[in-house]
Amino acid sequence: GQQVMQIPQYQHVQEGEDFTTYCNSSTTLSNIQWYKQRPGGHPVFLIQLVKSGEVKKQKRLTFQFGEAKKNSSLHITATQTTDVGTYFCAVIAGGTSYGKLTFGQGTILTVHP
Amino acid sequence: KAGVTQTPRYLIKTRGQQVTLSCSPISGHRSVSWYQQTPGQGLQFLFEYFSETQRNKGNFPGRFSGRQFSNSRSEMNVSTLELGDSALYLCASTTEYSNYGYTFGSGTRLTVV
């Protein structure tokens, strides 16, 4: 089945530094979604990317979908302590993969004040 | 609007027992998916229901089953519990299409002793 590799597994930053997590696939993706899970919480949907080369911004968060639709990234500018959590990318294979999100391993972000 | 509601929040069971978890999706969401989250395996897809029909199933043994009712509420059942079934079980709902992302419930933390 479709798999996505997410790196890095952990990222420790000082408050104010930037952060980036990457998701890579060996196959072309139809779309990719990003979720954030706070410690002790549940995944919360952030965004979906569908188009080749798509770039979307949400305040300090910038999401990109690669031109070949095989990779994606999430970049946070000037991290804050509220950004702490695990960031997951997730994909749905096409065809009959209804409701089946395949998640990356996640990147655990810690922010030191 | 109300979010996805999962009950119970915490559960402790003994090996060999069975357990039933409940999920009430967001009103109007007809697709309900279930995921198992563990530190070692991450987020893994269990199954997805739409209009009372299971459309997709993950790679879990037959001890894991589910169903969906006409009001879109869903239940999952795990029979003959094993220690390795200890996990956070998450339910997620969405509209017929996943373009708007999945809304996750707070999960049921199952501990098997």
Side-chain angles (χ1 to χ4, degrees):
Chain A
Q2 197 147 49
Q3 291 188 333
V4 284
M5 301 300 294
Q6 192 173 352
I7 56 169
Q9 189 175 359
Y10 302 94
Q11 186 77 59
H12 310 279
V13 300
Q14 288 292 132
E15 190 172 20
E17 292 182 337
D18 292 356
F19 158 77
T20 305
T21 175
Y22 302 90
C23 233
N24 299 295
S25 170
S26 58
T27 60
T28 302
L29 303 171
S30 57
N31 62 71
I32 192 162
Q33 298 182 359
W34 286 91
Y35 291 81
K36 175 185 178 181
Q37 185 173 21
R38 295 181 186 273
H42 56 276
V44 173
F45 174 73
L46 295 175
I47 209 158
Q48 173 167 277
L49 304 173
V50 177
K51 300 177 183 176
S52 168
E54 191 170 15
V55 177
K56 288 188 176 181
K57 293 190 176 184
Q58 291 179 351
K59 298 182 180 178
R60 296 178 293 105
L61 278 61
T62 301
F63 304 84
Q64 294 191 14
F65 203 6
E67 293 290 341
K69 300 182 73 173
K70 289 185 176 182
N71 57 74
S72 181
S73 65
L74 157 59
H75 179 83
I76 302 178
T77 304
T79 55
Q80 299 175 359
T81 54
T82 53
D83 295 324
V84 163
T86 303
Y87 292 85
F88 293 97
C89 60
V91 299
I92 294 184
T96 60
S97 298
Y98 305 112
K100 183 179 179 180
L101 278 172
T102 298
F103 283 85
Q105 300 91 324
T107 296
I108 300 173
L109 172 65
T110 55
V111 180
H112 300 284
Chain B
K1 54 184 177 181
V4 177
T5 304
Q6 289 189 247
T7 55
R9 288 294 308 275
Y10 302 93
L11 210 48
I12 300 176
K13 289 287 187 179
T14 305
R15 272 182 303 174
Q17 287 186 314
Q18 75 165 14
V19 66
T20 299
L21 312 181
S22 179
C23 172
S24 293
I26 287 176
S27 178
H29 284 191
R30 295 162 65 191
S31 168
V32 175
S33 304
W34 288 88
Y35 292 83
Q36 181 195 66
Q37 186 174 30
T38 59
Q41 299 299 316
L43 280 154
Q44 292 188 290
F45 172 78
L46 282 157
F47 26 66
E48 189 260 2
Y49 288 87
F50 181 83
S51 292
E52 303 179 67
T53 299
Q54 185 183 87
R55 296 195 296 186
N56 226 325
K57 190 177 191 306
N59 192 24
F60 279 81
R63 300 184 298 106
F64 292 81
S65 63
R67 60 178 175 170
Q68 186 180 36
F69 302 95
S70 59
N71 61 357
S72 294
R73 190 177 72 85
S74 178
E75 290 181 346
M76 69 163 280
N77 183 276
V78 188
S79 62
T80 319
L81 284 166
E82 300 177 0
L83 295 179
D85 297 332
S86 295
L88 179 65
Y89 289 88
L90 292 158
C91 163
S93 75
T94 190
T95 57
E96 180 175 0
Y97 306 101
S98 64
N99 295 343
Y100 304 105
Y102 288 78
T103 303
F104 282 80
S106 299
T108 294
R109 173 74 62 184
L110 172 65
T111 303
V112 182
V113 297

